[in-house]
Amino acid sequence: MYLVSPPILLLLVALVGGSWSAWRARAQGAAPAVRQRAQLLALLGAVSAAAGALVLLAPLNFCPFELDGDGNANRLNVMLGVFILLGGAFLAHRVVSSLVGRWLRGEALPGATETRTGLFSGPGSTLLALLCLAPTLTILTLFLYYPMFDTFQLSTQLARLGAPRTRFVCMRNFNQLLGDPDYGRTVLISFFLAAFIVMFSLAFSLLIAQMAYRPITGGRFYRALLVWPYALSPVIAGIIFELLFHNTAGVLNHVLDSTFGFKVPWLLDPTIAPWTVVVASTWNILGFCILFYIAGLQNVPNDLLEAAAIDGASAIQRFFRITFPLLSPITFFLVVTTTTYAFFDTYGLIDFLTAGGPVESTTTMMYEVFEVGVVARNLGSAAARSLLLFGIVIGVTILQFRFSRGRVMYGS
Amino acid sequence: MEEKLGLPYAAAPVTPRRRRLPKRWYAHVILITAIIITGFPVYYAVVVATQSNTQVFNYQLTPSTYLERNWDLVIHERQLPRYMLNSVIVALVMTTGKAVLSLLAGMAFVFFRIPGKWLIFGFVLITLMMPTEVMAIALFRLVGVELQWGGYDAMIVPFIASATGSFLFRQHFASIPGELSEAAQIDGANPLQFLWYVLIPISWNAIAALFVIQFLYAWNQYLWPLMVIHETTLKPVQLGLRSLRSGTETGDSFGPLMLGAVLASIPPLVVFLALQKQFMSGFALTRDK
């Protein structure tokens, strides 16, 4: 029993997509070529939106709109369904309208014109080019696109590792996650760790780079000694920091104990352990950030800083008004890289340092995917968790594009 | 770089030098503190590698005499060389494979006319947004369960194509003037000869950049081998270190573990420090402008 039957749903989406297109075509500032074809555009918008929604919902049999469970599950289902519906419609609409828009405005389609000279064009050259691409495309299809597809598929199934049969359960894996306070805490911990790792590593590395980038006595020596911890793997960082922060054997607690007479349960207290992970991760990634900040600072044009100094700007003003804005592309690149590090690469570090504990206080989303999927053998739920993690990756990527096109300065 | 020396002072020459402290003494203080803080953990790990557990619990900050015994345990009894060898093989084969496939793909993207090239390029490029970790569960089901791979094949084959590498070489080749490939064609070179005799010799920097980035990636991989490798003799070193965690009969665990960690860090450190410039230029090349 559907809440809204699939054809009516698609019609509704088509209506929204079509009217959005029509509105955009008639809006102020649209090119005349676009205005004249508003009806055609509305039709294309309607069709593309409906097609996008269909592509995502057909594999699910429109199940999120099927009413069978209790009221709570249904409400979540419908919410997820609407999200998928609008997401698919939006993406397809976006792609089609951007292509059609280019065509109507007489711009070249991406890649349609070849500006290079000296292309190989003998007999069979296209075949050879495709042969050159074939290994890469094959591996990417088999080991990246297929698993991606399979992750989507698994997330709607009740699947256990080693069990030959699976059962379609629609959105149940997601429903269970969204109503689960433990999962909420895992998400919160992941974001907490990421936020502080990014903040600390960027702040400290910028401070250190600011000191080290100028020719200073022994500058080369300093720079060499500052960047290398990045080459150590997160696993090694975990091993070394366990030695330092160990409750009884750790040298840090020894120092604290002998000078102040107390010990800190760095790895044993659920409120302190996440901070220990932040410290270890920051240590691990700091060299990477320093490396890039030093390079960035060396590219800040000196005459700008000198002019500001002559105009009476203090060192702090020069830093915040000139240096930091000019560094924004590097800062942005580092935010993305350290966020990725915090969400994914900390796995090895956490596994050795705290193993996700105590009382799961350092269990990140990535850590839980492994725990649920491989240790507890619940593939369906692990796939659903992976997809929510994927959502974060997409979010970071979109942010990356937004920022790198807009406010970010490209100095060099 | 030297001309940039002492900028704020050049700009404000009126300030007389009153202090006897060296110029920018605070910078030295901050840098030395930073080096001590970043260096101490590793220094201490090296020291502990030479100690017995009793000494570790006594917080001795200087090297001791247990190195030989720890070495014996790590090298002979717990087979660290075997794990290191596995890592070396996996890292070298994976990086070489990635370099070859990416060079071929990069050449195809730049020097050929292919119908729907931008679509194919988009197909490759979009995988940059799909980290392996996100689909590790499904990849594990495919590789570990259905294909039944559990050795070098499982660690290498799924990762032998590289979107980063294809993109890097495409960017690099795009900066090469078209006259070069025209000249090669006039001289009668076929595309593969062009790749071998012209492109590769002028691309060593880009190749080194890909090598160092991918070598670090391959060497430091942990989660994926943890999922697929169950045969002890096939484990890479990051996984092998786990076997050093369990203590010996005498209860020594920290010394051997630290020794293993230090030894396992040497190859990536050497590669990283030797190719630091290329490491950075690789990121510069792949960053879209």
Side-chain angles (χ1 to χ4, degrees), chain A residues 50-97:
Chain A
L54 185 67
V55 165
L56 288 194
L57 275 175
L60 296 174
N61 294 327
F62 291 87
C63 69
F65 298 96
E66 227 164 339
L67 303 178
D68 54 1
D70 60 304
N72 239 346
N74 276 339
R75 216 168 303 141
L76 269 173
N77 262 346
V78 171
M79 271 163 58
L80 283 165
V82 169
F83 179 73
I84 298 170
L85 191 77
L86 293 181
F90 175 76
L91 282 179
H93 186 269
R94 192 71 199 268
V95 171
V96 170
S97 61

Side-chain angles (χ1 to χ4, degrees), chain B residues 212-233:
Chain B
V212 55
I213 293 171
Q214 298 301 342
F215 185 89
L216 290 187
Y217 169 78
W219 188 273
N220 293 345
Q221 249 193 341
Y222 176 69
L223 177 62
W224 175 247
L226 187 62
M227 282 182 169
V228 284
I229 310 295
H230 302 297
E231 189 75 43
T232 314
T233 53

Side-chain angles (χ1 to χ4, degrees), chain A residues 9-75:
Chain A
L9 263 180
L10 289 178
L11 270 178
L12 283 173
V13 173
L15 204 64
V16 173
S19 33
W20 173 249
S21 285
W23 183 72
R24 285 287 300 273
R26 284 159 189 276
Q28 289 271 314
V34 173
R35 266 166 196 253
Q36 285 158 15
R37 295 190 176 79
Q39 280 162 341
L40 172 72
L41 286 174
L43 184 67
L44 276 174
V47 172
S48 63
L54 185 67
V55 165
L56 288 194
L57 275 175
L60 296 174
N61 294 327
F62 291 87
C63 69
F65 298 96
E66 227 164 339
L67 303 178
D68 54 1
D70 60 304
N72 239 346
N74 276 339
R75 216 168 303 141

Side-chain angles (χ1 to χ4, degrees), chain B residues 133-182:
Chain B
E133 286 90 344
V134 163
M135 60 215 71
I137 291 294
L139 187 63
F140 170 62
R141 196 161 86 129
L142 172 70
V143 172
V145 180
E146 266 159 49
L147 296 174
Q148 292 278 336
W149 292 353
Y152 295 147
D153 45 3
M155 281 187 279
I156 295 169
V157 178
F159 307 103
I160 205 151
S162 165
T164 318
S166 310
F167 187 48
L168 188 142
F169 285 123
R170 192 195 95 116
Q171 297 292 87
H172 175 65
F173 291 158
S175 68
I176 293 172
E179 285 82 24
L180 212 59
S181 50
E182 268 167 22

Side-chain angles (χ1 to χ4, degrees), chain B residues 179-214:
Chain B
E179 285 82 24
L180 212 59
S181 50
E182 268 167 22
Q185 285 179 70
I186 292 168
D187 290 344
N190 69 37
L192 290 178
Q193 286 170 323
F194 175 63
L195 175 69
W196 184 253
Y197 291 109
V198 181
L199 285 184
I200 290 182
I202 59 172
S203 303
W204 281 118
N205 254 338
I207 294 171
L210 184 70
F211 172 78
V212 55
I213 293 171
Q214 298 301 342

